[in-house]
Amino acid sequence: MQAQLIDAGQERTFAIIFATGDDPMAGLLAFAREQQLRASHFTAIGAFSSVTLGYFQFERKTYEHIPVYEQVEVLSLVGDITLDRGEPALHAHVVIGKSDGTAHGGHLLEARVRPTLEVMLVESPTTLRRRFDPDTGLTLIDLQAGAR
């Protein structure tokens, strides 16, 4: 993974480029720790050699894992990085395209890049925090806890 600051304004913007074999989830979390990101959003395009999508089963409060073991295009990857108990937390959704033109999407659980993934990440000059919500079983952004 390589990264470069491309705008140092009030909202810093980074280009983060992943190469073949990289784990984008682990890479983004490591980058978030290194840069001390507290509230960021990102978009990306590229391709994966394999990916595991997640579909949230609300009644069971768990993710159904949907593995895709083939080369796919990343048609759209969007997400955010916030804080959860003081540590960066990544939440991302992805739409992938298969060779037959079909698209599949869901929560991004795991992926391996091939040949590249181009991420544009924008850091906001604030803090967003997550808190566990027992009603949904998810850790959701809590706007009331942002500045604390």
Side-chain angles (χ1 to χ4, degrees):
M1 174 187 84
Q2 298 178 345
Q4 180 177 332
L5 179 65
I6 59 175
D7 184 349
Q10 187 174 3
E11 292 186 327
R12 294 189 303 167
T13 302
F14 296 89
I16 306 166
I17 310 303
F18 291 92
T20 296
D22 285 347
D23 175 342
M25 301 291 282
L28 284 170
L29 282 173
F31 183 79
R33 283 186 201 96
E34 175 186 302
Q35 295 295 320
Q36 299 178 345
L37 302 179
R38 301 179 328 258
S40 303
H41 63 278
F42 59 87
T43 60
I45 56 173
F48 295 143
S49 60
S50 64
V51 61
T52 300
L53 306 172
Y55 179 80
F56 188 68
Q57 298 285 341
F58 187 80
E59 296 76 23
R60 296 189 335 229
K61 295 183 173 51
T62 62
Y63 283 95
E64 175 185 339
H65 288 223
I66 305 163
V68 179
Y69 299 114
E70 62 185 87
Q71 182 73 26
V72 295
E73 294 286 327
V74 176
L75 305 176
S76 177
L77 172 58
V78 297
D80 58 49
I81 299 172
T82 58
L83 292 180
D84 183 6
R85 292 172 287 217
E87 288 295 316
L90 191 142
H91 183 197
H93 288 205
V94 65
V95 178
I96 57 166
K98 292 185 172 184
S99 63
D100 65 0
T102 60
H104 300 264
H107 189 87
L108 179 60
L109 298 177
E110 298 176 6
R112 286 290 170 196
V113 173
R114 184 173 65 197
T116 190
L117 184 70
E118 302 166 347
V119 180
M120 298 298 149
L121 182 143
V122 178
E123 176 194 29
S124 298
T126 189
T127 299
L128 287 175
R129 298 182 196 283
R130 293 186 174 276
R131 184 180 347 192
F132 181 75
D133 175 39
D135 292 334
T136 63
L138 297 169
T139 306
L140 304 175
I141 292 175
D142 179 359
L143 294 177
Q144 306 306 314
R148 290 186 261 154

